[in-house]
Amino acid sequence: MVVFGFLDWFWLVIFIVLMVVCGVLFYRLGKRSMADFFLAGRGLPWWLPAASVYATHSATDTPMWVSGVIYKYGLRGIWYTFFSAWCAISAFASSRIFRRSLAYTQAEWQTLRFSGLGAELLRGWIAGWQVFMNMFVLGWVGIAMGKLCRYLFGWPEWIGLVLFSSLCAIYVLAAGYWGVVMADFQQGVIAFSVIVLVSIWGIVAAGGPQRIMMKLESLGQSWRLNPFAFSGWASGDFPLVWFLTMLVIAVIGGFGMGTAIDWYPEAQRIQSARTVRDASYSIWWGSALIVVRNSLWAVAILAFFTLYPNITSTAEYEMAWFRLGFEYLPVGLLGFFFAAIVAIHLSTISTHLNLGASYATRDLYHHYLKPKASEKELVWVGRISTLILLLGSFLYGLMMQEITQWLIFALWIMAAGIWLPNILQVIWWRFNAWGYLSSWIANLGFSWLVVWVLPEFRLIPVLPDYLQFWIMMVLGALIYIPVTFLTPHEDMDRLVKYYVMSRPLGWWKPVHREAERRGLLQVVKTQSEGGKK
């Protein structure tokens, strides 16, 4: 247990009051309309959603996840955060396409890209999936705080899970996305400052960079300093083929939408930006801050390893970065450190409460149940949905133990079979709603079979995660490619309208020609010495 002094409690109370007041201050803006409650009126300059991108991806579970992979794999574990490269590419590809569409959510975008019954089924499916997935994310982030509070104060895990998420819900219920994004800006500044402070403090506590390198060498662990210390082409615990898998996913994935679970919070920030350029800058700069943060954490975790090199329990070494702060910071700074942890916790909780509620309100209630609902009614439905997500997250949180295992499954394995379809829907005109819907359903079944069910019955061995990814990609392709070609392409009217509005990249030549024929695109001709081209 950690003992807090008066100054420590002072920092914590001041921060919590600041966040709650934020909700009160922006209550009048959040209640004006559904666009304000979920997108802050689409009028934010790039630096506000950028700060929100960074703050959202700095949750209580994030240092646990980074601690887990760096402690286990050394600096090569930093490649688990390859999604930052995906976001950077997305900033100038799919982010621009999505912002031009003016869709509130990714589910609504499906009815702009696709048509007919398939589009409606997709919208309902993705909306329902996002309500569940945001509840799931809230659960694992919440239980991470529960684990931390048990370590700090000896509390049962459920207290930390319930207490801080409930405090966060106050300003989310009051001000919606206005409260989320304005609080995120403050939380991001506080969190980044403390991450720098604690990481440097931990490095100094371990004797500084020179001492850390010497200690690793004496332990026979100098390979941990090499981010390219692969265990072989396809053998060992960190093979080169795994790295190449992550590289392909990140680089090519940036051209798609929903390539990882991270796209959905980013999509909300993209639509809240006032222009297409602001949307692009927000994703790029938010991702850049994440890269800097991860680098600081990685070096600090190496310092922790030299201090405690023989920890074998995953649940224990996932606490590495937190332990550096709470075991080495002096009294007075401990409370400031914990306040920063609460900040990064609330930033993620608030995002997923509001994001999940947007799908429940805009895509389920408004679209399917009551299309003529007033703006006032929709704001109240948003608040009720927020409360339902909060309560559901408590149930999921109590089911989870190891953060890293759940994160790898949810962020990577469960997205494997829809990775390529998420790109195809953006870059290929012929890919249709039935192909995309079948990829979702197939991947859900295959992921549980390959990862959990078949190994449990010893029908297949427990496979490395990169092999699981490629196996599910192949299995999924055997479903959605035939479905795509066996069903007709989308209605050309819908495709032309979408193409003119969003200007997507890739293979859209038949649609482009049709848009030109209808006079919706200007035919550009250039004059050269040889004549017209």
Side-chain angles (χ1 to χ4, degrees), residues 92-151:
F92 299 100
S94 51
S95 293
R96 289 176 174 270
I97 295 168
F98 185 68
R99 180 62 181 85
R100 292 183 188 120
S101 74
L102 298 181
Y104 272 69
T105 65
Q106 180 68 19
E108 183 177 355
W109 185 83
Q110 304 303 318
T111 56
L112 301 176
R113 165 63 176 85
F114 303 112
S115 59
L117 177 61
E120 291 298 329
L121 291 175
L122 262 177
R123 184 169 185 172
W125 171 271
I126 292 179
W129 174 254
Q130 277 303 297
V131 171
F132 156 74
M133 183 53 73
N134 279 282
M135 214 179 281
F136 184 77
V137 172
L138 287 163
W140 87 49
V141 174
I143 200 61
M145 177 58 82
K147 289 174 181 291
L148 181 61
C149 289
R150 183 184 63 181
Y151 163 73

Side-chain angles (χ1 to χ4, degrees), residues 123-189:
R123 184 169 185 172
W125 171 271
I126 292 179
W129 174 254
Q130 277 303 297
V131 171
F132 156 74
M133 183 53 73
N134 279 282
M135 214 179 281
F136 184 77
V137 172
L138 287 163
W140 87 49
V141 174
I143 200 61
M145 177 58 82
K147 289 174 181 291
L148 181 61
C149 289
R150 183 184 63 181
Y151 163 73
L152 289 176
F153 311 118
W155 297 349
E157 289 183 355
W158 70 267
I159 295 179
L161 166 66
V162 172
L163 175 61
F164 293 101
S165 293
S166 299
L167 287 171
C168 176
I170 294 173
Y171 69 81
V172 179
L173 286 166
Y177 186 72
W178 273 110
V180 172
V181 75
M182 298 309 296
D184 274 358
F185 178 74
Q186 301 169 66
Q187 291 159 354
V189 171

Side-chain angles (χ1 to χ4, degrees), residues 371-438:
K372 295 183 179 180
S374 67
E375 292 294 333
K376 182 178 179 180
E377 180 181 351
L378 291 171
V379 170
W380 274 106
V381 171
R383 289 183 173 134
I384 294 168
S385 301
T386 301
L387 187 58
I388 292 171
L389 270 110
L390 177 71
L391 297 175
S393 73
F394 297 155
L395 297 177
Y396 282 115
L398 294 172
M399 295 165 55
M400 301 179 193
Q401 288 302 315
E402 288 192 3
I403 302 296
T404 304
Q405 183 181 19
W406 279 105
L407 273 174
I408 291 173
F409 181 68
L411 294 182
W412 195 20
I413 302 304
M414 286 183 73
I418 59 169
W419 174 74
L420 189 54
N422 282 327
I423 300 168
L424 293 176
Q425 68 172 339
V426 177
I427 68 171
W428 186 32
W429 76 277
R430 182 61 180 82
F431 193 61
N432 62 20
W434 300 109
Y436 192 46
L437 185 61
S438 66

Side-chain angles (χ1 to χ4, degrees), residues 49 250 300 315 323 328 438 451 510 522:
R323 287 183 60 181
Y328 292 96
S438 66
V451 178
Q522 182 179 0

Side-chain angles (χ1 to χ4, degrees), residues 331-370:
V331 174
L333 280 179
L334 290 176
F336 190 65
F337 178 41
F338 186 62
I341 294 170
V342 173
I344 65 177
H345 177 71
L346 298 189
S347 65
T348 303
I349 293 293
S350 63
T351 287
H352 289 283
L353 282 174
N354 187 255
L355 179 63
S358 71
Y359 284 92
T361 305
R362 174 73 174 181
D363 298 299
L364 297 180
Y365 183 82
H366 190 211
H367 183 68
Y368 290 110
L369 299 179
K370 200 170 181 183

